[in-house]
Amino acid sequence: MDETKTTCDYCNCDVCDKVRSDLEKIFRVLDIYGWLLDSYIVDFFLEDLWNKLPGEWQNTLDVVSPQELGKWILGEACERVWPLSLMALREVIRSLVINRNHNEGEAIKCKKRSSEGKSFNSLEELDSVNSNLYVNDSKFNNLFIKHVKTKKRYEIEKMSQILGDCALKANCKCVVDIGAGMGHLARVLAFKYGFSVTCVEQDPLLTAQAKKCDEQFLTSLRKYNPNCNGKLQHVSMTVNVNDSGEEVVNYLTKSFESEQTLITKRKELGLVGLHPCGDLATTLLRLYSNCAEAKFICIVGCCYMKLTRSGDKFALKGYPMSQYVSTLDNNEISFNALEVSCHAMEKHCDKLKEERFSDLIVHTYRAALEYMLVQKSSKLRRIQVNSVKVKNGMCFEQYCKAAVANLEPHKQPEDFYYTQPKIIQFLSEWNRVLVFGSLRLMLAPLVETCVLLDRFLFLSEKKLGPSLKAEFDCRVSPRNFVLISSK
């Protein structure tokens, strides 16, 4: 391990030193408490997960109300006396994770990051550089949000500002949106901010739908302003995890030579990814690091559980990416832990505080159903059942029958299973299942922090000066961290 470290040119700035130190501390915490994240809630009763918690935790958490727990996890005032080890764990988590509050703190920045170029501090200031824009014209702005959900509207507005800042600092007006989907962000960038945008989407059906949306948008736009134009084009292609940056850029430039776009004239571009799924995020980072034409990257990751963690020795892993994390002996993160890290801890705690957690009873129902299925046959362990939402007072038996409706009749539990004393006891312990799930969510930000700081160090090791900060409201958009780098 030491030999590997000496061969890598690690950045020795205070920020990168702290990132590496924090990662080592996080992995030590996960060595002790990672079993909570690795556990399956569906196995809660089968594996008696409650009794794996420390005894003093059990005694306190058995009498804590959901409202108290929600407040306590969020760090709000709570008069109850808590076990010292549990309090210490919460404080350690809070000290090590990246701040998820977009209104607080500064970005984590490698000190080698260039600060050259013009920076725009507000959406209005950025708007003012484009003479085509009608910042305060609601009719014009409403053209961009038709058929766009509220969450997406919010993300697009924030991302446009950040991306515009990156592009202007890099003196680059061409943007490639990889994993562009329906092209909602691209239309804002092209027709509102004047960037030349190329959308890359793997699914040809989505590409076709995006082009149709373009046509509808342009029809409305030209009725509003016949002289307002933008440069926007779409291509369907797969950007694989092992693709080099040069191959992708060559494909794009050759495909659009006849269009005379900014790509082919200058061969300089910026990369943007708004919630690219799993390995696509790390693919974009490698594309950026390998490609001289890529002048900046602006990326918001998601779906961490889909990251490649093992497999063919020649395959590039989605995690870990950095040489530093790759050298750590205890750097493994399970699928379960990555999956939990994609949930909204704050929204969960808000539900607890506001007594809106009745839908969470589904976890107790599913764990009790699993116990019954395994009673019937060990071969039914973790068999795929229908996803059923518990609402309108749905009882356990109704839930189970809906969940196993896809199974062959001989695999479904008989009616007598539902009245077993053990099952009735399990159902009365719904609060324990809720508490256990909440503890996992309390730990989850540690996992996301590991993934994001690993990506941060990857860029730092490539001398690409990264910056990382929560830019979205985590209660609106839970995956709210934006990773930025400019060359």
Side-chain angles (χ1 to χ4, degrees):
M1 185 171 77
D2 294 336
E3 181 180 349
T4 305
K5 285 188 177 183
T6 57
T7 61
C8 181
D9 185 16
Y10 294 143
C11 174
N12 60 3
C13 76
D14 293 344
V15 174
C16 290
D17 279 344
K18 185 177 186 304
V19 166
R20 289 189 288 268
S21 174
D22 284 351
L23 278 167
E24 291 193 8
K25 292 174 183 175
I26 289 173
F27 286 123
R28 287 200 290 271
V29 173
L30 293 179
D31 278 344
I32 301 172
Y33 296 107
W35 71 270
L36 279 157
L37 292 165
D38 298 339
S39 299
Y40 289 86
I41 289 290
V42 72
D43 293 333
F44 186 84
F45 299 119
L46 276 173
E47 297 186 358
D48 196 14
L49 294 179
W50 181 257
N51 284 315
K52 292 184 179 181
L53 295 172
E56 62 272 22
W57 290 21
Q58 293 179 43
N59 294 336
T60 299
L61 294 173
D62 240 347
V63 295
V64 165
S65 70
Q67 296 89 337
E68 285 180 293
L69 185 61
K71 288 182 180 180
W72 183 80
I73 290 176
L74 291 176
E76 298 175 8
C78 186
E79 295 182 0
R80 182 175 296 279
V81 177
W82 299 83
L84 287 177
S85 59
L86 188 55
M87 291 179 65
L89 175 60
R90 185 190 64 173
E91 295 311 307
V92 166
I93 292 170
R94 294 176 67 184
S95 70
L96 291 176
V97 301
I98 311 169
N99 191 341
R100 287 176 54 79
N101 189 331
H102 67 299
N103 289 321
E104 293 180 358
E106 298 180 352
I108 302 172
K109 290 184 182 180
C110 172
K111 291 186 177 178
K112 292 182 178 179
R113 181 174 188 249
S114 172
S115 59
E116 296 178 0
K118 180 171 175 58
S119 176
F120 292 86
N121 298 316
S122 70
L123 189 61
E124 289 75 15
E125 189 180 353
L126 176 59
D127 284 342
S128 67
V129 304
N130 191 328
S131 59
N132 289 332
L133 303 184
Y134 298 78
V135 181
N136 297 317
D137 193 318
S138 60
K139 290 183 179 179
F140 175 74
N141 290 324
N142 285 341
L143 295 176
F144 296 94
I145 60 177
K146 187 177 181 180
H147 305 309
V148 181
K149 293 181 179 179
T150 303
K151 174 178 177 289
K152 194 72 172 179
R153 294 178 188 180
Y154 169 78
E155 292 168 349
I156 288 172
E157 180 181 348
K158 289 285 187 180
M159 198 69 166
S160 298
Q161 177 185 353
I162 296 165
L163 185 61
D165 188 28
C166 291
L168 289 162
K169 283 182 177 180
N171 192 28
C172 178
K173 290 284 285 181
C174 179
V175 175
V176 178
D177 184 357
I178 300 183
M182 295 288 287
H184 297 308
L185 174 62
R187 276 184 286 281
V188 173
L189 296 175
F191 294 99
K192 189 173 182 182
Y193 295 114
F195 292 112
S196 177
V197 185
T198 300
C199 295
V200 178
E201 172 56 48
Q202 175 178 307
D203 187 345
L205 292 177
L206 279 179
T207 299
Q209 290 175 358
K211 290 179 179 179
K212 186 176 180 180
C213 286
D214 288 350
E215 293 173 1
Q216 294 171 347
F217 171 82
L218 284 169
T219 299
S220 299
L221 180 64
R222 285 166 183 160
K223 288 179 182 178
Y224 180 81
N225 180 6
N227 299 318
C228 190
N229 294 301
K231 296 177 181 179
L232 174 62
Q233 52 198 339
H234 300 264
V235 61
S236 288
M237 66 177 292
T238 300
V239 182
N240 293 315
V241 72
N242 289 315
D243 283 343
S244 72
E246 183 179 0
E247 291 171 344
V248 175
V249 171
N250 284 343
Y251 180 93
L252 291 173
T253 55
K254 288 178 181 178
S255 296
F256 300 118
E257 284 177 357
S258 61
E259 300 291 337
Q260 292 297 300
T261 64
L262 202 55
I263 288 181
T264 58
K265 288 180 180 179
R266 295 178 55 189
K267 290 192 176 180
E268 290 185 352
L269 53 90
L271 298 175
V272 59
L274 179 53
H275 293 138
C277 186
D279 282 340
L280 182 56
T282 54
T283 298
L284 298 188
L285 291 169
R286 290 192 172 98
L287 183 67
Y288 169 70
S289 69
N290 293 335
C291 175
E293 290 85 351
K295 296 303 178 184
F296 70 88
I297 189 168
C298 184
I299 189 170
V300 185
C302 73
C303 300
Y304 304 130
M305 66 285 193
K306 296 184 180 180
L307 291 170
T308 303
R309 293 172 293 119
S310 61
D312 189 277
K313 64 180 180 180
F314 298 109
L316 295 173
K317 292 182 180 180
Y319 170 86
M321 292 190 72
S322 68
Q323 290 191 44
Y324 180 77
V325 175
S326 297
T327 64
L328 299 178
D329 294 330
N330 58 345
N331 66 13
E332 289 294 323
I333 300 178
S334 69
F335 172 89
N336 272 10
L338 291 168
E339 195 275 333
V340 174
S341 73
C342 291
H343 291 276
M345 182 265 289
E346 294 83 4
K347 292 176 75 172
H348 174 86
C349 289
D350 288 345
K351 277 189 171 186
L352 300 185
K353 288 166 51 182
E354 297 164 13
E355 300 186 43
R356 295 185 291 106
F357 50 83
S358 59
D359 59 312
L360 299 177
I361 196 72
V362 69
H363 299 299
T364 304
Y365 282 4
R366 180 64 185 90
L369 173 60
E370 184 73 3
Y371 186 90
M372 291 195 308
L373 289 171
V374 173
Q375 263 192 314
K376 191 169 181 66
S377 171
S378 60
K379 293 181 180 179
L380 297 178
R381 181 83 184 264
R382 294 182 189 161
I383 194 170
Q384 185 68 41
V385 300
N386 296 327
S387 178
V388 180
K389 291 185 178 180
V390 175
K391 55 184 179 180
N392 299 325
M394 177 183 283
C395 72
F396 175 61
E397 185 173 349
Q398 290 172 324
Y399 162 83
C400 290
K401 290 186 175 179
V404 301
N406 65 313
L407 302 182
E408 298 171 1
H410 70 276
K411 294 180 180 179
Q412 299 180 15
E414 288 82 0
D415 288 347
F416 72 85
Y417 277 93
Y418 302 114
T419 57
Q420 293 179 96
K422 194 127 191 163
I423 298 302
I424 294 172
Q425 175 63 32
F426 288 159
L427 296 178
S428 71
E429 296 176 2
W430 62 268
N431 190 64
R432 289 182 172 182
V433 180
L434 185 61
V435 167
F436 192 87
S438 300
L439 292 177
R440 296 174 82 229
L441 285 171
M442 183 176 77
L443 286 160
L446 288 174
V447 178
E448 182 172 38
T449 294
C450 285
V451 173
L452 294 176
L453 292 185
D454 172 55
R455 295 175 181 181
F456 180 97
L457 289 180
F458 170 81
L459 291 174
S460 173
E461 290 166 3
K462 299 288 186 180
K463 299 182 180 179
L464 295 172
S467 173
L468 180 63
K469 186 180 184 298
E471 297 285 4
F472 303 156
D473 184 334
C474 60
R475 285 176 167 82
V476 178
S477 182
R479 306 282 64 77
N480 65 334
F481 292 103
V482 182
L483 179 59
I484 295 170
S485 175
S486 299
K487 294 178 182 174

